[in-house]
Amino acid sequence: MSRRLTLRPLRIAVLTGVAAGALLVPATAAFATDPTPSPGATESTSADKEALAKKKAEDAKTLKEAEARKAMEAQKTGGQGYPRGGVAAGEAPAKDDNTGTLIGSATGALLLAGAGTYVLRRRTTARRES
């Protein structure tokens, strides 16, 4: 066997690895971008619970007052101050979590690995038959 024939599978494996790496690099964007861990849940004390309930009650009262004020102003202007819909009405915009990028990259890597395996098996079979 010549040296060229023994290096061919290695070269194909390296090229397949590089191509798979090129497909997987965009998938890293789908993982966490913030390196700081989020704090874990802790047991709240009764004082914390009371403070939280008090804050929620104050927030609800403030929100009701703001809504009442807006309704009064809307009545004065003839109802023209109401939002028409969509984000202006408080609807949250869609969020993109890059799941498609991750799935696409993984699928591409699997297809590339399968194609590489098929080519290598075909070449090996062709060598044996000749």
Side-chain angles (χ1 to χ4, degrees):
M1 266 176 105
S2 70
R3 182 166 187 237
R4 180 175 166 91
L5 289 177
T6 59
L7 291 178
R8 184 174 289 171
L10 179 63
R11 182 174 43 194
I12 291 172
V14 168
L15 290 175
T16 304
V18 169
L23 285 172
L24 291 174
V25 166
T28 59
F31 295 111
T33 57
D34 188 16
T36 57
S38 60
T42 58
E43 291 292 325
S44 16
T45 62
S46 61
D48 291 339
K49 290 179 184 177
E50 289 175 9
L52 184 61
K54 189 176 186 181
K55 180 156 176 45
K56 282 184 181 179
E58 289 175 6
D59 289 344
K61 183 179 177 184
T62 306
L63 184 63
K64 284 182 183 179
E65 289 174 357
E67 287 177 359
R69 205 174 7 214
K70 283 184 183 178
M72 293 290 284
E73 289 175 8
Q75 282 181 344
K76 289 179 185 176
T77 61
Q80 295 177 3
Y82 288 117
R84 295 190 178 260
V87 177
E91 181 179 320
K95 295 180 182 176
D96 185 18
D97 59 356
N98 294 328
T99 303
T101 304
L102 182 62
I103 291 171
S105 295
T107 304
L110 289 174
L111 287 172
L112 183 65
T117 303
Y118 176 74
V119 168
L120 288 176
R121 293 180 105 191
R122 194 179 83 196
R123 286 184 180 176
T124 303
T125 305
R127 275 193 214 142
R128 288 183 187 163
E129 291 177 357
S130 9

